[in-house]
């Protein structure tokens, strides 16, 4: 199977910043990419608390919900129940292009770093580490204490890429949507995917050419 046809695992844990996950899903589907999505029980609660959204836990209903919510009929979407450790993505024999946890709670980070898999997100992350496949973790917490730093370091040493959703201003965002796009696209750059469109850094505007710089 060609790498481009392999699915991307999109995991959403119970941290604030759920709009990043929604936009990531939308961009992946718009690019006609296959997506295996798992939303933790905590994330479903955060959706309700922060955005007033009732995300179904039953996979078929959740797929219909996201199709309607994102307005995308393209791509292949397969949702999993948060605790279904018999799912395909819980097995190393099921090939994927990589996994992104966006956003990643520090509880999820700590359990993965300790090799503990209490739900499907943690099991799938463990599978990606043991199989040497790309695992991108986008922790959403501020500030980081020493326990957080050590857990993230352990994951980096085990092969994960740590990509916190840190904003920038060089692309001159004027809306929250533009900032969300920047954060999502940069996280997926780490997985080698170029989603959507982004004004990327090209160097300072108006910088003089080398032959225009005066010599003292």
């Amino acid at each position: 199977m060609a790498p481009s046809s392999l699915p991307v695992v999109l995991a959403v844990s119970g941290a604030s910043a759920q709009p990043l996950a929604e936009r990531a899903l939308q961009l992946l589907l718009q690019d006609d990419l296959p997506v295996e999505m798992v939303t933790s029980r905590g994330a479903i609660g955060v959706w309700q608390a922060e955005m007033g959204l009732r995300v179904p836990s039953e996979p078929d209903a959740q797929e219909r919900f996201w199709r309607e919510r994102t307005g995308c009929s393209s791509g292949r979407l397969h949702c999993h129940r948060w605790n279904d450790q018999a799912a395909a993505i819980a097995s190393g024999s099921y090939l994927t292009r990589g996994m992104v946890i966006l956003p990643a709670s520090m509880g999820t980070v700590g359990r993965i770093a300790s090799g503990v898999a209490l739900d499907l997100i943690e099991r799938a992350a463990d599978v990606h580490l043991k199989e040497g496949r790309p695992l991108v973790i986008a922790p959403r917490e501020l500030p980081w204490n020493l326990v957080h730093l050590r857990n993230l370091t352990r994951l980096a040493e085990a092969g994960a890429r740590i990509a916190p959703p840190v904003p920038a201003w060089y692309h001159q965002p004027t809306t929250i949507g533009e900032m969300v796009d920047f954060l999502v696209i940069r996280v997926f750059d780490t997985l080698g995917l170029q989603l959507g469109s982004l004004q990327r850094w090209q160097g300072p505007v108006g910088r003089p050419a080398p032959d225009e710089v005066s010599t003292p």
Side-chain angles (χ1 to χ4, degrees), residues 54-74:
R54 293 185 178 273
V55 179
S57 58
E58 196 277 322
D60 289 341
Q62 192 174 126
E63 289 171 22
R64 291 191 296 269
F65 172 87
W66 288 122
R67 287 291 187 185
E68 181 177 350
R69 176 80 180 169
T70 61
C72 291
S73 59
S74 57

Side-chain angles (χ1 to χ4, degrees), residues 15 22 93 98 101 106 125-127 132 142 149 153 156 176 188 216:
E22 180 179 349
S93 66
I101 307 177
M106 283 305 178
D126 186 65
V127 164
L142 182 72
L149 291 168
T153 298
I176 292 177
F188 279 86

Side-chain angles (χ1 to χ4, degrees), residues 142-216:
L142 182 72
W144 291 348
N145 63 35
L146 186 57
V147 173
H148 300 155
L149 291 168
R150 285 177 172 165
N151 284 335
L152 290 168
T153 298
R154 290 174 70 186
L155 288 173
E157 290 171 342
R161 298 295 302 277
I162 310 302
V166 177
W169 279 264
Y170 59 75
H171 63 301
Q172 299 179 351
T174 58
T175 66
I176 292 177
E178 289 176 353
M179 184 62 77
V180 167
D181 275 10
F182 172 85
L183 297 172
V184 170
I185 291 170
R186 289 293 288 122
V187 167
F188 279 86
D189 279 352
T190 311
L191 195 60
L193 294 173
Q194 295 185 14
L195 302 180
S197 61
L198 182 67
Q199 180 180 336
R200 296 179 180 273
W201 177 248
Q202 301 295 328
V205 176
R207 181 173 58 185
D211 58 356
E212 296 176 351
V213 179
S214 59
T215 303

Side-chain angles (χ1 to χ4, degrees), residues 66-90:
W66 288 122
R67 287 291 187 185
E68 181 177 350
R69 176 80 180 169
T70 61
C72 291
S73 59
S74 57
R76 189 183 82 231
L77 174 61
H78 187 190
C79 293
H80 299 274
R81 192 180 298 276
W82 67 272
N83 61 347
D84 182 11
Q85 297 211 37
I89 58 175

